[in-house]
Amino acid sequence: MGTGTGSRLRALADYDVLALSALIWFLAKFLRYAFPPLFPTFRDAFGVSNATLGLAFAAMMAVYAAMQFPSGALADRVGARAVIVAGASVAGAGALVLAVPLEAPWALPGIVAGMLLVGLGTGVHKTVAVRLLAREYPARTGRALGVLDTLGAVSGVAAPSALVLVSGALLAGALATVRAPGRAAARAVAADWRTLFLAGAVAAGVLAALFARRVPATTAPGDRPGDAAGGGVGRYLALFRDPAFAAFVAVTVCFSFAYNGAVAFLPSYLVAAGGLPEATASVLYSGLFVVSLVQLATGDLSDRVGRLPVIGATLALGTLGLVLLLTVSGVVAAGAAVVVFGLGCHGFRPVRGAYLSAVIPESSAGGGLGVVRTLLMGAGALSPAVVGWVADAVGFRAAFALLAAAMVAAVAGTGVVAVADG
């Protein structure tokens, strides 16, 4: 009995790196997903416009995107543990800034400062964590990344729910705006939403301390300070000389363009082109994230049957979902199309990370992933603007047809990768 218990504890200890990496990623996305539901509260309590709030959120995401390559390159030199611990600590500091109530005129600048720190701290995690997990679990990389991405996706549901549960935050904010406009309203809602960020700050500190304590400085061969060779940015750009690598990056850029454009405007599309009520469109939209649990299955499957077959199948499934959205009508058919699209897109994500981890040389793993993720997020940031412009010009069906074409290109590109891979 004692021996069996000890064996189980040792087996659980083998997953320390995965558990802590995934929990930090959950917290990182939780903090970011908490802001959009709070925008109506911020707007009413502090008297700011939607444009101002949108600019603040864009600035946070710009800082997040800008950290992808530097964090990966830094991890190549000083090790993954140091970068992840520093990122969690900075994100926790940002959450703590958001938890501190400030009087006008410093209230809004304080919120923006906290948002920027959250973007800075969370921006270093994913690139470095993917590299770390691939080294720690070489035979189970797909499964490990499936867990990581699934917890990140679940945070998109958890953050809005937490805001409702913490002292009835959203309802209290709305009532406070009516009963105590201006500064009084700001004080009335502060006890609700600031509590959430205070909890986030404490969680970030605890996770950073646990990561520093439980994850060794060297968890696998090659994850040591100074392992990265010289050469600067050029050695990362040299990765694109490999036709298979360049083709796969093109595949992921096409996917990111299609997925982010669809996610940004799917409810609007279902209302405008599908003729569905807004409430129904919102319910179907949530289904897109509920099916993210498929990442656990596709990640594990890629470890068993190979990455490229699973990549091709999931991209084809996502493409089918978008094509169905262009042709179907009615709640049931539209819901089925959304589920098919979600299964394909979420299923692709952990396998993408596993494939990149396998093809990027060990000495350039962090910076190489950082370059790729910068390109992905650039395409993802551009996509909503393009979709919005096309929708205004010729309609939502044309805009989503463009996204479907991008997914078709991704599927075709997978064939090119297979050929180039030999």
Side-chain angles (χ1 to χ4, degrees):
M1 182 68 125
T3 303
T5 301
S7 299
R8 285 192 292 271
L9 289 175
R10 284 193 296 273
L12 288 174
D14 289 341
Y15 288 94
D16 276 0
V17 177
L18 173 58
L20 291 171
S21 298
L23 286 171
I24 292 174
W25 184 231
F26 172 87
L27 179 63
K29 298 196 79 172
F30 182 95
L31 291 173
R32 297 206 311 272
Y33 283 137
F35 289 112
L38 281 171
F39 283 168
T41 298
F42 291 166
R43 184 188 61 226
D44 296 336
F46 303 116
V48 295
S49 65
N50 288 319
T52 299
L53 294 170
L55 182 62
F57 193 78
M60 179 184 72
M61 295 309 297
V63 172
Y64 174 86
M67 290 306 299
Q68 301 303 306
F69 171 70
S71 64
L74 183 62
D76 286 336
R77 295 184 177 275
V78 305
R81 184 182 72 170
V83 177
I84 288 177
V85 170
S89 300
V90 171
L96 187 60
V97 169
L98 289 159
V100 176
L102 298 174
E103 296 290 341
W106 301 106
L108 186 61
I111 289 173
V112 173
M115 291 175 70
L116 292 177
L117 284 172
V118 167
L120 183 68
T122 60
V124 310
H125 186 75
K126 182 68 179 288
T127 295
V128 182
V130 168
R131 173 246 198 145
L132 177 63
L133 294 177
R135 288 176 169 179
E136 184 70 9
Y137 309 102
R140 296 163 287 173
T141 299
R143 181 187 300 179
L145 296 183
V147 172
L148 183 78
D149 284 331
T150 298
L151 272 183
V154 168
S155 66
V157 178
S161 301
L163 282 168
V164 175
L165 293 174
V166 178
S167 303
L170 300 183
L171 177 60
L175 293 175
T177 303
V178 174
R179 296 173 180 171
R183 183 181 300 176
R187 286 197 298 266
V189 300
D192 297 312
W193 64 266
R194 291 191 192 278
T195 302
L196 184 70
F197 287 106
L198 179 60
V202 173
V206 170
L207 288 173
L210 287 174
F211 200 91
R213 179 178 177 83
R214 299 293 298 174
V215 178
T218 301
T219 59
D223 189 22
R224 292 184 293 271
D227 267 5
V233 178
R235 72 188 175 97
Y236 298 116
L237 297 180
L239 296 170
F240 289 87
R241 295 174 187 166
D242 178 0
F245 178 79
F248 188 74
V249 172
V251 167
T252 60
V253 166
C254 288
F255 166 80
S256 183
F257 181 87
Y259 178 76
N260 283 277
V263 167
F265 285 100
L266 182 58
S268 300
Y269 174 85
L270 292 173
V271 172
L276 300 180
E278 290 186 5
T280 302
S282 296
V283 171
L284 295 184
Y285 183 61
S286 66
L288 181 64
F289 299 98
V290 171
V291 298
S292 64
L293 291 173
V294 73
Q295 294 172 124
L296 297 172
T298 57
D300 185 54
L301 184 63
S302 73
D303 292 334
R304 299 172 184 273
V305 305
R307 283 146 192 161
L308 280 179
V310 179
I311 285 170
T314 53
L315 287 175
L317 192 63
T319 303
L320 175 62
L322 265 184
V323 171
L324 288 175
L325 277 172
L326 294 173
T327 58
V328 301
S329 60
V331 176
V332 175
V338 170
V339 168
V340 170
F341 177 66
L343 287 172
C345 291
H346 286 297
F348 168 72
R349 293 157 77 96
V351 193
R352 171 184 64 189
Y355 180 85
L356 287 169
S357 297
V359 299
I360 296 175
E362 186 72 16
S363 63
S364 302
L369 284 171
V371 169
V372 175
R373 280 182 55 78
T374 300
L375 292 173
L376 299 186
M377 281 184 293
L382 177 65
S383 178
V386 173
V387 171
W389 180 82
V390 174
D392 287 342
V394 290
F396 268 111
R397 286 197 184 275
F400 270 61
L402 176 63
L403 300 179
M407 286 293 289
V408 170
V411 174
T414 305
V416 175
V417 174
V419 172
D421 246 354

